[in-house]
Amino acid sequence: MSDARPARSPSPEFASAWELAGQIPGWLTRDQALALWDAALRVPRGGRIVEIGSHQGRSTAVLGEAARLAGASVVAVDPFVEGRLFGGPLTRKRFEDNVFHRAGLAEVVELIPEYSTVLRPTWNRPIALLYVDGKHDYWTFTDDLRWSEHLPPDAEVLVHDAFSSIGVTGGVAVRVLCGSRYTFLDRTGSLARFRLRRPTPRDRLRVLAQTPWFLRNVAVKVLLRLRLRPLTRLLSHRGPHDPY
Ligand SMILES: C[S@@+](CC[C@H](N)C(=O)[O-])C[C@H]1O[C@@H](n2cnc3c(N)ncnc32)[C@H](O)[C@@H]1O
């Protein structure tokens, strides 16, 4: 029982959106982009998608293009934190180049350069779809889940690294496995889809069943940091990057 989403053929519209988005540096895989795309297309006309953590705009470009087709809009929240990994103001400039100029999504995407945890307490606009890929520690992630207070019942919440980051997976264990608000639907790699609906005992078991996948991802990360990349092939991992 893997709960991995089955692969399927994407539409020409997705292929064209991914042709651009796939060139933007980031961590989202093509199959995960397709999961985001499908979720964005399910948003009702006039609905708002909130993305927490945008970096250079890889996922934003996918959500934005799907939102344009659906007649929806996207709010991208990212403070563009400084540092070697995320890059600070230069990353913001790249986001604006990629999303507003190259993808031409200025009419669809609104950028709010702020910490999600600072913005959340005063946020008062309805949200139709939430995508969480910001800071991956337990406290920030569980705070980010609270944005779902602005979603209607049965809406979707998508979370990147849900089963590949200790902080995020810890949050999933506490808020989803032990909570009563989110039902796990499926995952693409470690991008998980949840629905705002009380989980059944069976739904909780399906979250628990992701434990081997999570432990495998942690093992791959440890091996990569120990420079033991050849051993990661034993865990069916390819390439030098962390599993997402
Ligand atoms: C993994 S990257 C996002 C990748 C992006 N979704 C993509 O597809 O390329 C994480 C981003 O979260 C941002 N971030 C860190 N703390 C944040 C916070 N509290 N609120 C919103 N974004 C945050 C970082 O600046 C970084 O750009």
Side-chain angles (χ1 to χ4, degrees), residues 172-210:
V172 168
V174 172
R175 295 284 188 261
V176 180
L177 179 61
C178 304
S180 56
R181 194 169 156 70
Y182 308 94
T183 292
F184 171 59
L185 298 177
D186 56 25
R187 64 171 175 82
T188 306
S190 282
L191 185 149
R193 279 196 316 132
F194 302 102
R195 191 176 295 296
L196 279 190
R197 180 190 292 167
R198 189 178 183 84
T200 62
R202 196 182 159 83
D203 292 328
R204 292 183 203 276
L205 280 179
R206 290 173 45 253
V207 179
L208 210 52
Q210 306 309 312

mmCIF file of all heavy atoms in Angstrom, residues 172-210:
data_model
loop_
_atom_site.group_PDB
_atom_site.id
_atom_site.type_symbol
_atom_site.label_atom_id
_atom_site.label_comp_id
_atom_site.label_asym_id
_atom_site.label_seq_id
_atom_site.Cartn_x
_atom_site.Cartn_y
_atom_site.Cartn_z
ATOM 1 N N VAL A 172 3.387 16.378 10.260
ATOM 2 C CA VAL A 172 2.350 15.508 9.677
ATOM 3 C C VAL A 172 1.922 14.463 10.711
ATOM 4 O O VAL A 172 0.725 14.178 10.876
ATOM 5 C CB VAL A 172 2.868 14.829 8.384
ATOM 6 C CG1 VAL A 172 1.926 13.720 7.927
ATOM 7 C CG2 VAL A 172 3.054 15.867 7.277
ATOM 8 N N ALA A 173 2.906 13.925 11.437
ATOM 9 C CA ALA A 173 2.582 12.910 12.449
ATOM 10 C C ALA A 173 1.643 13.489 13.513
ATOM 11 O O ALA A 173 0.650 12.858 13.893
ATOM 12 C CB ALA A 173 3.860 12.376 13.088
ATOM 13 N N VAL A 174 1.948 14.711 13.956
ATOM 14 C CA VAL A 174 1.149 15.286 15.043
ATOM 15 C C VAL A 174 -0.193 15.804 14.539
ATOM 16 O O VAL A 174 -1.245 15.508 15.105
ATOM 17 C CB VAL A 174 1.947 16.414 15.746
ATOM 18 C CG1 VAL A 174 1.074 17.167 16.746
ATOM 19 C CG2 VAL A 174 3.167 15.824 16.434
ATOM 20 N N ARG A 175 -0.174 16.574 13.453
ATOM 21 C CA ARG A 175 -1.408 17.257 13.007
ATOM 22 C C ARG A 175 -2.312 16.383 12.128
ATOM 23 O O ARG A 175 -3.521 16.584 12.106
ATOM 24 C CB ARG A 175 -1.064 18.541 12.235
ATOM 25 C CG ARG A 175 -0.396 19.582 13.085
ATOM 26 C CD ARG A 175 -1.410 20.295 13.998
ATOM 27 N NE ARG A 175 -0.774 21.418 14.656
ATOM 28 C CZ ARG A 175 -0.305 21.373 15.902
ATOM 29 N NH1 ARG A 175 -0.435 20.271 16.622
ATOM 30 N NH2 ARG A 175 0.284 22.422 16.431
ATOM 31 N N VAL A 176 -1.702 15.468 11.374
ATOM 32 C CA VAL A 176 -2.525 14.644 10.474
ATOM 33 C C VAL A 176 -2.804 13.280 11.099
ATOM 34 O O VAL A 176 -3.954 12.890 11.280
ATOM 35 C CB VAL A 176 -1.837 14.473 9.093
ATOM 36 C CG1 VAL A 176 -2.698 13.611 8.173
ATOM 37 C CG2 VAL A 176 -1.580 15.843 8.461
ATOM 38 N N LEU A 177 -1.722 12.577 11.469
ATOM 39 C CA LEU A 177 -1.903 11.227 12.022
ATOM 40 C C LEU A 177 -2.691 11.275 13.336
ATOM 41 O O LEU A 177 -3.611 10.486 13.548
ATOM 42 C CB LEU A 177 -0.524 10.583 12.232
ATOM 43 C CG LEU A 177 -0.506 9.181 12.827
ATOM 44 C CD1 LEU A 177 -1.236 8.211 11.920
ATOM 45 C CD2 LEU A 177 0.935 8.719 13.035
ATOM 46 N N CYS A 178 -2.310 12.213 14.205
ATOM 47 C CA CYS A 178 -2.963 12.273 15.531
ATOM 48 C C CYS A 178 -4.052 13.339 15.600
ATOM 49 O O CYS A 178 -4.694 13.491 16.637
ATOM 50 C CB CYS A 178 -1.915 12.547 16.624
ATOM 51 S SG CYS A 178 -0.593 11.342 16.624
ATOM 52 N N GLY A 179 -4.232 14.116 14.531
ATOM 53 C CA GLY A 179 -5.226 15.189 14.569
ATOM 54 C C GLY A 179 -6.551 14.742 13.975
ATOM 55 O O GLY A 179 -6.727 13.576 13.609
ATOM 56 N N SER A 180 -7.483 15.686 13.843
ATOM 57 C CA SER A 180 -8.802 15.303 13.332
ATOM 58 C C SER A 180 -9.231 16.191 12.170
ATOM 59 O O SER A 180 -10.402 16.244 11.821
ATOM 60 C CB SER A 180 -9.823 15.395 14.467
ATOM 61 O OG SER A 180 -9.788 16.702 14.990
ATOM 62 N N ARG A 181 -8.281 16.903 11.560
ATOM 63 C CA ARG A 181 -8.639 17.918 10.570
ATOM 64 C C ARG A 181 -8.264 17.562 9.134
ATOM 65 O O ARG A 181 -8.882 18.031 8.192
ATOM 66 C CB ARG A 181 -7.916 19.204 10.993
ATOM 67 C CG ARG A 181 -8.370 20.440 10.327
ATOM 68 C CD ARG A 181 -7.789 21.660 11.018
ATOM 69 N NE ARG A 181 -7.728 22.781 10.115
ATOM 70 C CZ ARG A 181 -8.798 23.427 9.679
ATOM 71 N NH1 ARG A 181 -9.990 23.064 10.069
ATOM 72 N NH2 ARG A 181 -8.659 24.430 8.836
ATOM 73 N N TYR A 182 -7.238 16.724 8.955
ATOM 74 C CA TYR A 182 -6.706 16.481 7.608
ATOM 75 C C TYR A 182 -6.759 14.992 7.274
ATOM 76 O O TYR A 182 -6.307 14.162 8.073
ATOM 77 C CB TYR A 182 -5.248 16.932 7.507
ATOM 78 C CG TYR A 182 -5.013 18.341 7.958
ATOM 79 C CD1 TYR A 182 -4.631 18.614 9.276
ATOM 80 C CD2 TYR A 182 -5.187 19.410 7.083
ATOM 81 C CE1 TYR A 182 -4.429 19.916 9.708
ATOM 82 C CE2 TYR A 182 -4.991 20.713 7.504
ATOM 83 C CZ TYR A 182 -4.604 20.957 8.820
ATOM 84 O OH TYR A 182 -4.419 22.238 9.234
ATOM 85 N N THR A 183 -7.237 14.692 6.066
ATOM 86 C CA THR A 183 -7.214 13.319 5.558
ATOM 87 C C THR A 183 -6.144 13.218 4.481
ATOM 88 O O THR A 183 -6.145 14.012 3.525
ATOM 89 C CB THR A 183 -8.587 12.953 4.964
ATOM 90 O OG1 THR A 183 -9.530 12.882 6.024
ATOM 91 C CG2 THR A 183 -8.537 11.604 4.256
ATOM 92 N N PHE A 184 -5.242 12.257 4.646
ATOM 93 C CA PHE A 184 -4.200 12.028 3.636
ATOM 94 C C PHE A 184 -4.831 11.380 2.409
ATOM 95 O O PHE A 184 -5.533 10.361 2.529
ATOM 96 C CB PHE A 184 -3.118 11.126 4.249
ATOM 97 C CG PHE A 184 -2.097 10.629 3.257
ATOM 98 C CD1 PHE A 184 -1.331 11.517 2.519
ATOM 99 C CD2 PHE A 184 -1.889 9.271 3.072
ATOM 100 C CE1 PHE A 184 -0.380 11.066 1.607
ATOM 101 C CE2 PHE A 184 -0.939 8.803 2.170
ATOM 102 C CZ PHE A 184 -0.189 9.706 1.430
ATOM 103 N N LEU A 185 -4.582 11.952 1.222
ATOM 104 C CA LEU A 185 -5.143 11.401 -0.016
ATOM 105 C C LEU A 185 -4.117 10.532 -0.737
ATOM 106 O O LEU A 185 -4.340 9.354 -0.971
ATOM 107 C CB LEU A 185 -5.608 12.536 -0.935
ATOM 108 C CG LEU A 185 -6.730 13.429 -0.389
ATOM 109 C CD1 LEU A 185 -7.040 14.559 -1.368
ATOM 110 C CD2 LEU A 185 -7.993 12.619 -0.107
ATOM 111 N N ASP A 186 -2.991 11.140 -1.133
ATOM 112 C CA ASP A 186 -1.960 10.387 -1.838
ATOM 113 C C ASP A 186 -0.684 11.229 -1.847
ATOM 114 O O ASP A 186 -0.658 12.339 -1.303
ATOM 115 C CB ASP A 186 -2.410 10.022 -3.267
ATOM 116 C CG ASP A 186 -2.806 11.238 -4.099
ATOM 117 O OD1 ASP A 186 -2.311 12.353 -3.807
ATOM 118 O OD2 ASP A 186 -3.612 11.095 -5.021
ATOM 119 N N ARG A 187 0.346 10.705 -2.468
ATOM 120 C CA ARG A 187 1.599 11.466 -2.550
ATOM 121 C C ARG A 187 2.258 11.220 -3.902
ATOM 122 O O ARG A 187 2.067 10.172 -4.530
ATOM 123 C CB ARG A 187 2.556 11.083 -1.423
ATOM 124 C CG ARG A 187 3.022 9.650 -1.482
ATOM 125 C CD ARG A 187 4.134 9.369 -0.499
ATOM 126 N NE ARG A 187 4.475 7.953 -0.502
ATOM 127 C CZ ARG A 187 5.288 7.374 -1.389
ATOM 128 N NH1 ARG A 187 5.846 8.098 -2.346
ATOM 129 N NH2 ARG A 187 5.542 6.080 -1.328
ATOM 130 N N THR A 188 3.040 12.219 -4.333
ATOM 131 C CA THR A 188 3.878 12.099 -5.525
ATOM 132 C C THR A 188 5.296 12.326 -5.028
ATOM 133 O O THR A 188 5.644 13.449 -4.667
ATOM 134 C CB THR A 188 3.494 13.168 -6.573
ATOM 135 O OG1 THR A 188 2.098 13.068 -6.837
ATOM 136 C CG2 THR A 188 4.294 12.983 -7.849
ATOM 137 N N GLY A 189 6.110 11.273 -4.955
ATOM 138 C CA GLY A 189 7.348 11.396 -4.197
ATOM 139 C C GLY A 189 6.951 11.771 -2.776
ATOM 140 O O GLY A 189 6.106 11.111 -2.162
ATOM 141 N N SER A 190 7.495 12.873 -2.278
ATOM 142 C CA SER A 190 7.098 13.314 -0.933
ATOM 143 C C SER A 190 6.186 14.529 -0.964
ATOM 144 O O SER A 190 6.038 15.216 0.051
ATOM 145 C CB SER A 190 8.333 13.588 -0.085
ATOM 146 O OG SER A 190 8.852 12.357 0.368
ATOM 147 N N LEU A 191 5.600 14.837 -2.118
ATOM 148 C CA LEU A 191 4.578 15.886 -2.151
ATOM 149 C C LEU A 191 3.241 15.221 -1.829
ATOM 150 O O LEU A 191 2.744 14.398 -2.614
ATOM 151 C CB LEU A 191 4.528 16.577 -3.518
ATOM 152 C CG LEU A 191 3.576 17.776 -3.605
ATOM 153 C CD1 LEU A 191 4.118 18.798 -4.595
ATOM 154 C CD2 LEU A 191 2.177 17.390 -4.001
ATOM 155 N N ALA A 192 2.696 15.558 -0.673
ATOM 156 C CA ALA A 192 1.461 14.891 -0.218
ATOM 157 C C ALA A 192 0.259 15.787 -0.458
ATOM 158 O O ALA A 192 0.353 17.016 -0.386
ATOM 159 C CB ALA A 192 1.565 14.553 1.262
ATOM 160 N N ARG A 193 -0.877 15.121 -0.729
ATOM 161 C CA ARG A 193 -2.161 15.823 -0.834
ATOM 162 C C ARG A 193 -3.008 15.452 0.363
ATOM 163 O O ARG A 193 -3.163 14.268 0.671
ATOM 164 C CB ARG A 193 -2.902 15.393 -2.099
ATOM 165 C CG ARG A 193 -2.440 16.078 -3.345
ATOM 166 C CD ARG A 193 -3.442 15.924 -4.481
ATOM 167 N NE ARG A 193 -3.990 14.590 -4.629
ATOM 168 C CZ ARG A 193 -5.296 14.327 -4.760
ATOM 169 N NH1 ARG A 193 -6.183 15.301 -4.721
ATOM 170 N NH2 ARG A 193 -5.720 13.085 -4.927
ATOM 171 N N PHE A 194 -3.535 16.466 1.011
ATOM 172 C CA PHE A 194 -4.454 16.253 2.128
ATOM 173 C C PHE A 194 -5.774 16.941 1.802
ATOM 174 O O PHE A 194 -5.795 17.916 1.060
ATOM 175 C CB PHE A 194 -3.884 16.856 3.423
ATOM 176 C CG PHE A 194 -2.535 16.293 3.798
ATOM 177 C CD1 PHE A 194 -1.372 17.010 3.546
ATOM 178 C CD2 PHE A 194 -2.425 15.041 4.381
ATOM 179 C CE1 PHE A 194 -0.123 16.494 3.874
ATOM 180 C CE2 PHE A 194 -1.188 14.503 4.711
ATOM 181 C CZ PHE A 194 -0.029 15.243 4.462
ATOM 182 N N ARG A 195 -6.855 16.408 2.389
ATOM 183 C CA ARG A 195 -8.157 17.064 2.250
ATOM 184 C C ARG A 195 -8.624 17.498 3.627
ATOM 185 O O ARG A 195 -8.400 16.785 4.613
ATOM 186 C CB ARG A 195 -9.164 16.099 1.617
ATOM 187 C CG ARG A 195 -10.446 16.773 1.211
ATOM 188 C CD ARG A 195 -11.426 15.875 0.499
ATOM 189 N NE ARG A 195 -11.029 15.360 -0.797
ATOM 190 C CZ ARG A 195 -10.794 16.077 -1.895
ATOM 191 N NH1 ARG A 195 -10.881 17.396 -1.844
ATOM 192 N NH2 ARG A 195 -10.459 15.512 -3.027
ATOM 193 N N LEU A 196 -9.240 18.669 3.682
ATOM 194 C CA LEU A 196 -9.778 19.153 4.955
ATOM 195 C C LEU A 196 -11.031 18.369 5.287
ATOM 196 O O LEU A 196 -12.127 18.721 4.854
ATOM 197 C CB LEU A 196 -10.139 20.643 4.859
ATOM 198 C CG LEU A 196 -9.018 21.645 5.014
ATOM 199 C CD1 LEU A 196 -9.586 23.043 5.128
ATOM 200 C CD2 LEU A 196 -8.165 21.327 6.222
ATOM 201 N N ARG A 197 -10.829 17.267 5.968
ATOM 202 C CA ARG A 197 -11.940 16.364 6.303
ATOM 203 C C ARG A 197 -11.461 15.467 7.443
ATOM 204 O O ARG A 197 -10.287 15.095 7.484
ATOM 205 C CB ARG A 197 -12.284 15.521 5.084
ATOM 206 C CG ARG A 197 -13.402 14.553 5.310
ATOM 207 C CD ARG A 197 -13.533 13.598 4.145
ATOM 208 N NE ARG A 197 -13.981 14.231 2.920
ATOM 209 C CZ ARG A 197 -13.941 13.649 1.717
ATOM 210 N NH1 ARG A 197 -13.440 12.452 1.592
ATOM 211 N NH2 ARG A 197 -14.390 14.283 0.661
ATOM 212 N N ARG A 198 -12.350 15.143 8.339
ATOM 213 C CA ARG A 198 -11.977 14.293 9.470
ATOM 214 C C ARG A 198 -11.527 12.915 8.966
ATOM 215 O O ARG A 198 -12.249 12.270 8.195
ATOM 216 C CB ARG A 198 -13.200 14.138 10.398
ATOM 217 C CG ARG A 198 -12.874 13.472 11.691
ATOM 218 C CD ARG A 198 -14.099 13.373 12.592
ATOM 219 N NE ARG A 198 -13.689 12.777 13.840
ATOM 220 C CZ ARG A 198 -13.160 13.456 14.837
ATOM 221 N NH1 ARG A 198 -13.041 14.749 14.760
ATOM 222 N NH2 ARG A 198 -12.752 12.838 15.922
ATOM 223 N N PRO A 199 -10.340 12.445 9.369
ATOM 224 C CA PRO A 199 -9.865 11.151 8.860
ATOM 225 C C PRO A 199 -10.537 9.985 9.570
ATOM 226 O O PRO A 199 -10.887 10.062 10.741
ATOM 227 C CB PRO A 199 -8.366 11.174 9.183
ATOM 228 C CG PRO A 199 -8.234 12.096 10.353
ATOM 229 C CD PRO A 199 -9.354 13.102 10.251
ATOM 230 N N THR A 200 -10.707 8.889 8.820
ATOM 231 C CA THR A 200 -11.193 7.649 9.423
ATOM 232 C C THR A 200 -9.977 6.908 10.002
ATOM 233 O O THR A 200 -8.820 7.241 9.669
ATOM 234 C CB THR A 200 -11.843 6.765 8.346
ATOM 235 O OG1 THR A 200 -10.821 6.431 7.388
ATOM 236 C CG2 THR A 200 -12.986 7.481 7.650
ATOM 237 N N PRO A 201 -10.206 5.881 10.819
ATOM 238 C CA PRO A 201 -9.060 5.085 11.312
ATOM 239 C C PRO A 201 -8.230 4.530 10.152
ATOM 240 O O PRO A 201 -7.008 4.486 10.207
ATOM 241 C CB PRO A 201 -9.740 3.972 12.115
ATOM 242 C CG PRO A 201 -11.033 4.581 12.571
ATOM 243 C CD PRO A 201 -11.471 5.492 11.463
ATOM 244 N N ARG A 202 -8.899 4.158 9.075
ATOM 245 C CA ARG A 202 -8.193 3.631 7.901
ATOM 246 C C ARG A 202 -7.299 4.721 7.278
ATOM 247 O O ARG A 202 -6.177 4.442 6.845
ATOM 248 C CB ARG A 202 -9.247 3.150 6.895
ATOM 249 C CG ARG A 202 -8.723 2.263 5.821
ATOM 250 C CD ARG A 202 -9.879 1.920 4.867
ATOM 251 N NE ARG A 202 -9.372 1.504 3.578
ATOM 252 C CZ ARG A 202 -8.957 0.279 3.306
ATOM 253 N NH1 ARG A 202 -9.019 -0.650 4.229
ATOM 254 N NH2 ARG A 202 -8.475 -0.011 2.119
ATOM 255 N N ASP A 203 -7.809 5.961 7.226
ATOM 256 C CA ASP A 203 -6.996 7.073 6.691
ATOM 257 C C ASP A 203 -5.731 7.253 7.533
ATOM 258 O O ASP A 203 -4.648 7.520 7.012
ATOM 259 C CB ASP A 203 -7.795 8.385 6.714
ATOM 260 C CG ASP A 203 -8.951 8.381 5.728
ATOM 261 O OD1 ASP A 203 -8.817 7.744 4.668
ATOM 262 O OD2 ASP A 203 -9.990 9.003 6.034
ATOM 263 N N ARG A 204 -5.894 7.129 8.843
ATOM 264 C CA ARG A 204 -4.717 7.298 9.730
ATOM 265 C C ARG A 204 -3.704 6.193 9.471
ATOM 266 O O ARG A 204 -2.494 6.425 9.445
ATOM 267 C CB ARG A 204 -5.153 7.262 11.192
ATOM 268 C CG ARG A 204 -5.986 8.459 11.609
ATOM 269 C CD ARG A 204 -6.321 8.371 13.092
ATOM 270 N NE ARG A 204 -7.503 9.151 13.403
ATOM 271 C CZ ARG A 204 -7.511 10.453 13.648
ATOM 272 N NH1 ARG A 204 -6.390 11.130 13.631
ATOM 273 N NH2 ARG A 204 -8.635 11.083 13.924
ATOM 274 N N LEU A 205 -4.208 4.985 9.244
ATOM 275 C CA LEU A 205 -3.286 3.870 8.953
ATOM 276 C C LEU A 205 -2.506 4.129 7.671
ATOM 277 O O LEU A 205 -1.331 3.765 7.561
ATOM 278 C CB LEU A 205 -4.084 2.562 8.812
ATOM 279 C CG LEU A 205 -4.482 1.894 10.116
ATOM 280 C CD1 LEU A 205 -5.287 0.631 9.826
ATOM 281 C CD2 LEU A 205 -3.230 1.544 10.941
ATOM 282 N N ARG A 206 -3.156 4.791 6.706
ATOM 283 C CA ARG A 206 -2.482 5.080 5.444
ATOM 284 C C ARG A 206 -1.357 6.082 5.654
ATOM 285 O O ARG A 206 -0.355 6.052 4.944
ATOM 286 C CB ARG A 206 -3.490 5.554 4.401
ATOM 287 C CG ARG A 206 -4.411 4.387 3.955
ATOM 288 C CD ARG A 206 -5.549 4.806 3.046
ATOM 289 N NE ARG A 206 -5.112 5.700 2.017
ATOM 290 C CZ ARG A 206 -5.370 7.002 1.971
ATOM 291 N NH1 ARG A 206 -6.099 7.566 2.913
ATOM 292 N NH2 ARG A 206 -4.934 7.724 0.996
ATOM 293 N N VAL A 207 -1.495 6.981 6.606
ATOM 294 C CA VAL A 207 -0.381 7.895 6.927
ATOM 295 C C VAL A 207 0.756 7.092 7.558
ATOM 296 O O VAL A 207 1.932 7.230 7.186
ATOM 297 C CB VAL A 207 -0.838 9.012 7.893
ATOM 298 C CG1 VAL A 207 0.330 9.935 8.228
ATOM 299 C CG2 VAL A 207 -1.982 9.815 7.296
ATOM 300 N N LEU A 208 0.372 6.241 8.495
ATOM 301 C CA LEU A 208 1.379 5.417 9.189
ATOM 302 C C LEU A 208 2.149 4.539 8.202
ATOM 303 O O LEU A 208 3.349 4.300 8.360
ATOM 304 C CB LEU A 208 0.648 4.547 10.214
ATOM 305 C CG LEU A 208 1.389 4.148 11.482
ATOM 306 C CD1 LEU A 208 1.972 5.370 12.180
ATOM 307 C CD2 LEU A 208 0.438 3.412 12.420
ATOM 308 N N ALA A 209 1.445 4.117 7.153
ATOM 309 C CA ALA A 209 2.064 3.241 6.146
ATOM 310 C C ALA A 209 3.152 3.953 5.343
ATOM 311 O O ALA A 209 3.896 3.306 4.599
ATOM 312 C CB ALA A 209 0.988 2.693 5.214
ATOM 313 N N GLN A 210 3.269 5.279 5.489
ATOM 314 C CA GLN A 210 4.326 6.017 4.784
ATOM 315 C C GLN A 210 5.648 5.973 5.542
ATOM 316 O O GLN A 210 6.670 6.472 5.056
ATOM 317 C CB GLN A 210 3.917 7.493 4.570
ATOM 318 C CG GLN A 210 2.577 7.686 3.880
ATOM 319 C CD GLN A 210 2.454 6.880 2.611
ATOM 320 O OE1 GLN A 210 3.346 6.874 1.759
ATOM 321 N NE2 GLN A 210 1.334 6.163 2.479
#
